[in-house]
């Protein structure tokens, strides 16, 4: 599976952005998907994940209630809708595909997108 993220950019605090992650291959619908982020000087952290069918989602406390993950298996795409953005959300965001839903560890995911910059100005 190859993953290609898009939709990042610069936004003011309180604004919204939607990231997309398009997957190649016909096995997308068999993978749980997740989003991670890495701010400068910090370790990569878990943002949230979505189950194979899209019926279950799980979020880090820092984004719960502001971010929403969804997927469209017919389009081989997973989305991250980010609302009420804060400067501390500034990071490079990564999508990832793995076998098991809900894991917060990097090691649980087999495939990674290239990363996309999100910058939130105050």
């Amino acid at each position: 599976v190859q993953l290609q993220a898009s939709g990042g950019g610069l936004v003011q605090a309180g604004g919204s952005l939607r990231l997309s992650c398009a997957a190649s291959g016909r096995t997308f619908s068999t993978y749980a998907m997740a989003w991670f982020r890495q701010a400068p000087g910090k370790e990569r952290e878990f943002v949230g994940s979505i189950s194979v069918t899209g019926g279950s989602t799980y979020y880090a406390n820092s984004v719960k209630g502001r971010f929403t993950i969804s997927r469209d298996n017919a389009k081989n795409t997973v989305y991250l809708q980010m609302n009420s953005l804060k400067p501390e959300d500034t990071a490079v965001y990564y999508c990832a595909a793995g076998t098991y839903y809900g894991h917060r560890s990097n090691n649980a995911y087999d495939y990674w997108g290239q990363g996309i910059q999100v910058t939130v100005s105050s």
Side-chain angles (χ1 to χ4, degrees), residues 14-98:
S16 298
L17 275 177
R18 188 176 81 156
L19 304 183
S20 300
C21 176
S24 64
R26 291 177 289 180
T27 60
F28 173 78
S29 62
T30 66
Y31 287 97
M33 299 297 296
W35 289 93
F36 287 76
R37 66 186 182 185
Q38 187 167 17
K42 295 188 177 181
E43 294 186 353
R44 189 174 299 185
E45 66 172 355
F46 173 81
V47 172
S49 65
I50 188 166
S51 62
V52 167
T53 64
S56 297
T57 52
Y58 174 63
Y59 299 96
N61 288 336
S62 58
V63 306
K64 196 176 297 181
R66 299 188 298 122
F67 290 13
T68 302
I69 298 175
S70 61
R71 66 189 296 164
D72 185 337
N73 285 344
K75 295 182 178 180
N76 282 6
T77 303
V78 63
Y79 305 97
L80 178 65
Q81 177 67 45
M82 303 183 291
N83 298 329
S84 302
L85 282 160
K86 305 175 181 180
E88 51 264 43
D89 295 317
T90 295
V92 176
Y93 283 71
Y94 298 87
C95 57

